[in-house]
Amino acid sequence: MRALLVEDDEDLGEIIRTALTREGDTVDWVKDGQSALSALAAESFDIAILDLGLPKVPGLEVLRTVRHQGNSIPILILTAHEAIEERVQGLDMGADDYMVKPFDLDELSARIRAMRRRDSGRATPIITYKGIQLDPAAHIVHFDNQSFNLPRREFALLQKLLENPGKALSREQLTQSIYSWDEDVDSNALEVHIHNLRKKFGNEVIRTIRGVGYMIEKDGA
Ligand code: CA
């Protein structure tokens, strides 16, 4: 999963980035509201974590603008303990969830998983598809009586595909979902990950859509 972190507090930002990266997520971090708007306009993220007290453009303004543009990315806002009114405003403006500082990092991760689950229209925590069971919390994939501890990008890629059955995802979309913008990416990196996934879960799981990218068939298809 690729997350945009918007937080101007260096220490807190570093802690959150480290925690999410350890969870296997790809994180891009910006430190003001203007950069957040540019990033959201330019790239595709799976979720955004948005501090409300930000330089240049305040968090609530970022939220309002993003929703006004029709962007439905799941957004979790970070607010100060005493800022109840701000929290309420944020939720009413289209934030999906919030955390009050200081917060527990395990709870943050769990809330992010829950947001992502809702976003992909799923009620159950485990993603299942033709014998594959992907557990986002445990970072394990079960298939054919085996448990796979996949490298983090393979895991993220498989999750992205499984969350979008029946939808052709472009190479660019998929690459953006597993690499942050400051990483050098080999031109065939995505193909290598797809190849490795097919080797483990069978060739027929991921379809190549010529000239576009890849997709997983709708279950039962
Ligand atoms: Ca702040």
Side-chain angles (χ1 to χ4, degrees):
M1 176 194 80
R2 185 170 180 196
L4 179 68
L5 169 62
V6 190
E7 173 58 74
D8 60 317
D9 183 312
E10 293 282 344
D11 292 339
L12 181 58
E14 194 56 54
I15 287 169
I16 298 174
R17 175 163 70 176
T18 305
L20 294 186
T21 306
R22 201 179 303 127
E23 290 275 310
D25 299 332
T26 295
V27 183
D28 286 300
W29 177 15
V30 295
K31 297 166 189 175
D32 66 77
Q34 187 57 53
S35 308
L37 287 172
S38 309
L40 287 163
E43 305 262 333
S44 98
F45 296 92
D46 296 300
I47 63 143
I49 299 160
L50 176 68
D51 180 32
L52 291 187
L54 289 172
K56 295 188 186 168
V57 180
L60 283 177
E61 196 51 44
V62 173
L63 191 57
R64 192 202 316 271
T65 307
V66 166
R67 291 302 185 230
H68 187 73
Q69 289 165 342
N71 187 339
S72 62
I73 179 175
I75 297 177
L76 182 145
I77 52 176
L78 304 178
T79 73
H81 183 64
E82 63 279 10
I84 295 173
E85 203 175 312
E86 202 182 53
R87 213 175 303 154
V88 171
Q89 269 183 304
L91 289 169
D92 282 340
M93 272 181 197
D96 298 273
D97 203 351
Y98 68 89
M99 291 288 281
V100 177
K101 297 178 184 180
F103 49 80
D104 178 82
L105 290 169
D106 287 338
E107 184 180 352
L108 176 68
S109 296
R111 282 178 184 267
I112 289 171
R113 284 194 294 274
M115 281 201 320
R116 217 173 153 199
R117 199 158 65 221
R118 285 196 296 272
D119 188 47
S120 62
R122 199 157 37 88
T124 53
I126 311 281
I127 307 172
T128 55
Y129 179 84
K130 292 188 179 170
I132 297 174
Q133 294 183 307
L134 182 144
D135 184 339
H139 293 272
I140 292 267
V141 181
H142 301 285
F143 178 66
D144 203 15
N145 294 320
Q146 290 183 66
S147 296
F148 293 86
N149 217 324
L150 299 182
R152 73 181 181 98
R153 292 198 218 275
E154 267 180 52
F155 187 91
L157 181 59
L158 183 62
Q159 182 170 354
K160 180 85 180 172
L161 286 161
L162 291 177
E163 283 178 342
N164 292 280
K167 218 161 103 187
L169 299 175
S170 69
R171 299 186 68 253
E172 192 188 7
Q173 258 178 307
L174 291 169
T175 305
Q176 280 191 8
S177 77
I178 56 171
Y179 290 98
S180 62
W181 56 54
D182 50 10
E183 289 178 293
D184 282 330
V185 186
D186 272 359
S187 61
N188 68 338
L190 183 66
E191 278 63 36
V192 172
H193 295 313
I194 295 279
H195 172 80
N196 290 338
L197 287 172
R198 283 174 172 160
K199 236 167 39 189
K200 294 179 184 102
F201 306 112
N203 277 329
E204 62 286 350
V205 170
I206 302 166
R207 264 187 60 194
T208 301
I209 309 297
R210 212 167 280 280
V212 182
Y214 299 95
M215 74 176 260
I216 294 237
E217 299 277 1
K218 266 211 183 327
D219 208 358

